[in-house]
Amino acid sequence: MKNQSVKNNIDWITVILYMALVILGWMNIYSADITPESNYIFDITQNYGKQLIFIGCNIVLIFIILTIDAKIYERFASVFFGASLVLLAGLFIFGKTVAGQRCWYAIGSFTIQPSEFAKAATALALAKYLSDSQVNLKNFNHQLIGLLIIALPILLILPQPDPGSALIFTMFIFVLNREGLPSWYLWTGFFAVALFLMALLLKPLYVVLLIFAGVAIHYLRSRPIHRNIIASATVLIVMVGFALSVDYVFENVFKQHHRDRFNVLFGREVDMAGVGYNTNQSKIAIGSGGWLGKGYLEGTQTKGNFVPEQHTDYIFTTVGEEWGFVGSAVLILLYVALLLRILYLAENQKTKFSRIYGYGVASVLFTHFVVNISMVIGIFPTIGVPLPFLSYGGSSLWAFTILLFIFVKMDANKVNEW
């Protein structure tokens, strides 16, 4: 009776939006990979054939997730998180290196990327910790523990090196903020990023003058009772020191391909045949689609294989070229609808754990969605972040499915949590 009530309370709006994105993803992978020599859609020597196998396994995966008692995810959240950290650490010994990154375990011809699954494990661990009635994010020690849960996978992922995946984990800061983390953490992060970019774009003297002007204006506009010359001077020194160190960090810590991507983004280097090739070709493909696109399977840029990795990180270029502005807008609206639905369901959960996990799911999907599309249209550096449910790959598809359907199960189970 209990299982029947849970099944009847599955949020089918979320499931339908998910199915629509997965189907659209396969259609575009098929379009990006099909050749005149292709025989049938189940050809497992082609990416679209392999993706069908991944989708088939997904159905089994969803069934298993929905069958397991929702309380299991809360009870063993720490175990899942610990296992994910062990798998990430194991990459340094047993991982397979591809294009300079040691991010995968290889089992024959099959590879799996543990950082993708670590996102769901981290969301569970964070929800487990923050749902503890004793935890108060106004307490500095509790803040540190919450930030440490986020930092641990990042510290294991960055050396692989995989800055794209590491970036996704930083977005869990929004979950902490939703649960009471002081907003100055977010503002500090925002200003640090802005200052970093400003230091790359402007001469040091101009940056220092802007910092001095900003601190002075803030000091003068503050109420006399709140003015603290020592605190303002400390902030000024820290900001100037940070800004002046950016150039050294950029030249000596960043790897060459990271510097190249930023330089292309800022217009410092226009190497259309080298580091700027991917972004340039993706913008050409999307722009050539016009309002209504060239038609499904009719994309000339897609068929000419001009865009590298088009079935994975650059899958949105196929949508832009063949489906045009209207098709791209519909796809974006599907993502927005899914995100809004997750947030709505999260706010209506009966337990704190489920609510916090729902916000973790939304944070991960939102960041992937925004970063991938921004990367493809050239307003964000290329960092290898897949588009959820659309990009080719078993690891990403299964990991996103696990992430989402654990929440679907929690939401369906809320009928039993009164």
Side-chain angles (χ1 to χ4, degrees):
M1 192 67 163
K2 180 178 178 180
N3 289 335
Q4 187 64 38
S5 63
V6 170
K7 291 177 182 178
N8 292 338
N9 282 279
I10 289 177
D11 186 70
W12 289 104
I13 295 177
T14 300
V15 174
I16 290 170
L17 289 170
Y18 162 83
M19 291 173 59
L21 290 170
V22 171
I23 292 170
L24 289 174
W26 182 85
M27 290 175 65
N28 283 282
I29 292 169
Y30 179 76
S31 179
D33 266 16
I34 190 173
T35 63
E37 293 77 28
S38 300
N39 295 320
Y40 56 101
I41 64 173
F42 297 103
D43 185 354
I44 60 172
T45 64
Q46 301 296 323
N47 289 322
Y48 55 79
K50 295 175 184 176
Q51 190 73 0
L52 278 178
I53 295 177
F54 298 150
I55 292 172
C57 293
N58 239 21
I59 297 173
V60 177
L61 192 60
I62 291 170
F63 177 79
I64 293 172
I65 293 171
L66 295 180
T67 301
I68 295 174
D69 187 345
K71 293 295 183 182
I72 294 293
Y73 302 115
E74 181 176 1
R75 190 176 306 142
F76 292 97
S78 299
V79 176
F80 296 143
F81 183 61
S84 71
L85 295 180
V86 170
L87 289 172
L88 288 173
L91 287 170
F92 296 107
I93 302 174
F94 305 107
K96 178 181 179 181
T97 301
V98 178
Q101 291 182 311
R102 203 175 182 86
C103 303
W104 297 269
Y105 285 108
I107 306 172
S109 60
F110 178 74
T111 59
I112 192 164
Q113 188 173 3
S115 62
E116 295 293 340
F117 299 92
K119 295 163 190 172
T122 304
L124 286 171
L126 203 57
K128 174 72 171 178
Y129 175 68
L130 296 178
S131 61
D132 188 328
S133 60
Q134 302 299 316
V135 172
N136 183 354
L137 288 180
K138 302 302 180 184
N139 182 299
F140 182 68
N141 290 334
H142 293 173
Q143 295 171 12
L144 286 181
I145 295 173
L147 292 170
L148 182 63
I149 292 172
I150 299 173
L152 285 175
I154 293 175
L155 293 173
L156 291 171
I157 290 169
L158 276 176
Q160 293 177 5
D162 187 4
S165 293
L167 173 66
I168 303 301
F169 285 86
T170 64
M171 295 300 106
F172 282 117
I173 192 74
F174 291 109
V175 179
L176 290 176
N177 181 254
R178 168 64 180 78
E179 297 304 315
L181 186 73
S183 294
W184 69 263
Y185 280 95
L186 288 181
W187 285 111
T188 299
F190 171 79
F191 281 119
V193 172
L195 190 57
F196 179 85
L197 296 176
M198 188 167 62
L200 287 178
L201 292 170
L202 302 176
K203 294 181 178 180
L205 177 61
Y206 297 153
V207 176
V208 171
L209 289 175
L210 286 171
I211 293 172
F212 183 83
V215 173
I217 291 171
H218 181 270
Y219 178 81
L220 294 173
R221 292 191 63 182
S222 300
R223 296 179 180 179
I225 193 173
H226 292 148
R227 290 177 184 173
N228 187 321
I229 188 66
I230 296 177
S232 297
T234 301
V235 170
L236 178 65
I237 293 170
V238 170
M239 291 182 69
V240 170
F242 176 80
L244 295 179
S245 70
V246 166
D247 189 60
Y248 175 83
V249 172
F250 186 72
E251 295 296 334
N252 296 279
V253 178
F254 278 37
K255 294 185 180 297
Q256 183 60 49
H257 63 278
H258 294 144
R259 294 198 295 271
D260 290 339
R261 289 167 182 174
F262 273 99
N263 287 332
V264 169
L265 180 68
F266 296 146
R268 290 178 174 178
E269 296 177 5
V270 184
D271 183 7
M272 296 307 179
V275 293
Y277 180 80
N278 288 22
T279 302
N280 183 56
Q281 290 299 323
S282 69
K283 290 194 287 187
I284 291 173
I286 293 172
S288 68
W291 283 97
L292 298 176
K294 297 176 181 177
Y296 185 56
L297 304 179
E298 300 298 327
T300 53
Q301 293 292 116
T302 297
K303 293 295 168 287
N305 293 320
F306 288 102
V307 183
E309 306 300 328
Q310 191 163 8
H311 59 294
T312 55
D313 297 340
Y314 284 83
I315 191 67
F316 187 71
T317 60
T318 306
V319 179
E321 181 180 24
E322 298 188 347
W323 302 41
F325 176 82
V326 173
S328 300
V330 169
L331 178 64
I332 290 172
L333 287 174
L334 284 174
Y335 275 113
V336 172
L338 178 61
L339 289 167
L340 291 176
R341 187 64 183 176
I342 293 170
L343 292 175
Y344 170 78
L345 294 176
E347 282 298 328
N348 285 277
Q349 294 304 299
K350 301 297 184 290
T351 67
K352 193 175 181 181
F353 176 82
S354 299
R355 186 189 73 233
I356 296 170
Y357 180 76
Y359 271 92
V361 174
S363 296
V364 171
L365 294 180
F366 172 78
T367 309
H368 267 276
F369 162 63
V370 171
V371 171
N372 178 274
I373 292 182
S374 299
M375 177 184 76
V376 169
I377 63 177
I379 61 174
F380 198 87
T382 300
I383 56 173
V385 172
L387 191 57
F389 311 120
L390 261 78
S391 293
Y392 167 82
S395 289
S396 62
L397 178 61
W398 295 340
F400 287 130
T401 298
I402 291 171
L403 179 77
L404 178 62
F405 274 86
I406 286 177
F407 181 62
V408 170
K409 173 64 175 184
M410 290 178 183
D411 178 69
N413 191 65
K414 70 177 183 287
V415 69
N416 298 316
E417 294 175 345
W418 282 97

